[in-house]
């Protein structure tokens, strides 16, 4: 099969996905531009043309991982009841992690030694979680959630879903556990714990 002559977005996404797979399965030492190009059936010239080199590739992988998470979270209907919206965001978070498990470690697992996102990449990462803060702020403003600061509640809610997803992706949950059911229960109970209802 001839290698693609255009360095389009489809090739960019293919390279990023393969880079994430190499990092998550084999570690940082497996990520060389030559191997990445060969695995994606393209040339190292294409990789340099799209990313400019390995540091820029790693940065773009980090941004792409959060971009995908943000896209899934922004697709959630957050209108109406903030409790329902918060639960739906929790479900979307898990779905995103399961859809792109090779990117989860790039976002949160430190699989790239020495990588420090720049200010712009950090801002893009934080923007992915904006729907969570929006729902929580709405719930506090309407008197539904009992929290003094939206940021505190957001961090606590994020910690619950992040911890459960990390355990699931790491294969450390008991094999007979219904992961989806347990996850949904934990998200729902957490949301109810922040509510002033009842």
């Amino acid at each position: 099969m001839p290698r693609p002559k255009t360095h389009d977005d489809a090739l960019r996404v293919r390279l990023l996905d393969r880079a994430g797979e190499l990092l998550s399965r084999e570690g940082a030492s497996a990520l060389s531009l030559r191997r990445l190009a060969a695995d994606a059936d393209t040339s190292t010239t294409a990789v340099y043309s799209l990313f400019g080199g390995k540091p820029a590739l790693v940065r773009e992988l980090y941004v792409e991982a959060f971009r995908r998470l943000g896209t899934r979270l922004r697709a959630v209907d957050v209108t109406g009841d903030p409790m329902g919206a918060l639960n739906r965001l929790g479900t979307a978070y898990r779905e995103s992690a399961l859809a792109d498990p090779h990117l989860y470690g790039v976002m949160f697992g430190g699989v790239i030694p020495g990588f420090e996102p720049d200010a712009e990449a950090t801002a893009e990462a934080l923007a992915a979680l904006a729907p969570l803060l929006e729902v929580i702020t709405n719930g506090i403003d309407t008197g539904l959630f009992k929290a003094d600061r939206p940021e505190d509640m957001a961090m606590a809610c994020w910690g619950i879903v992040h911890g459960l997803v990390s355990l699931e992706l790491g294969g450390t949950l008991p094999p007979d556990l219904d992961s989806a059911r347990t996850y949904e229960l934990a998200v729902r109970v957490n949301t109810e714990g922040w509510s002033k209802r009842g």
Side-chain angles (χ1 to χ4, degrees):
M1 176 171 125
R3 292 183 175 184
K5 293 181 180 167
T6 59
H7 306 151
D8 59 9
D9 193 57
L11 178 58
R12 183 189 73 83
V13 170
R14 196 164 77 241
L15 286 165
L16 291 173
D17 277 326
R18 184 60 186 144
E21 290 165 0
L22 286 170
L23 286 167
S24 68
R25 291 181 187 158
E26 300 179 41
S29 63
L31 183 59
S32 75
L33 298 188
R34 179 172 286 142
R35 178 172 179 192
L36 177 62
D39 287 1
D41 196 30
T42 191
S43 65
T44 53
T45 302
V47 179
Y48 280 106
S49 174
L50 285 166
F51 302 107
K54 190 171 178 179
L57 167 74
V58 167
R59 181 197 180 279
E60 184 61 22
L61 180 60
Y62 177 83
V63 169
E64 177 70 15
F66 276 103
R67 188 177 297 134
R68 291 185 194 183
L69 172 61
T71 297
R72 285 187 179 267
L73 294 182
R74 284 189 301 277
V76 172
D77 178 10
V78 296
T79 60
D81 179 24
M83 288 182 67
L86 190 57
N87 290 336
R88 289 189 296 277
L89 284 171
T91 299
Y93 186 92
R94 178 175 180 264
E95 289 171 350
S96 181
L98 295 179
D100 292 311
H102 59 290
L103 299 180
Y104 201 76
V106 171
M107 291 188 286
F108 308 119
V111 297
I112 311 166
F115 171 70
E116 291 291 333
D118 58 34
E120 185 180 339
T122 300
E124 290 196 46
L126 292 174
L129 299 172
L132 174 64
L133 199 56
E134 176 187 334
V135 165
I136 289 171
T137 300
N138 181 35
I140 291 171
D141 290 348
T142 59
L144 177 62
F145 293 139
K146 52 184 177 191
D148 295 327
R149 291 179 356 113
E151 297 83 3
D152 294 339
M153 183 176 167
M155 186 58 68
C157 292
W158 182 23
I160 294 285
V161 297
H162 176 73
L164 289 170
V165 164
S166 296
L167 290 171
E168 185 173 3
L169 291 179
T172 54
L173 294 175
D176 58 341
L177 183 74
D178 183 339
S179 300
R181 182 181 166 282
T182 301
Y183 183 90
E184 295 296 330
L185 175 64
V187 168
R188 190 175 72 248
V189 168
N190 176 64
T191 300
E192 290 169 358
W194 288 100
S195 172
K196 290 183 177 179
R197 291 177 181 168

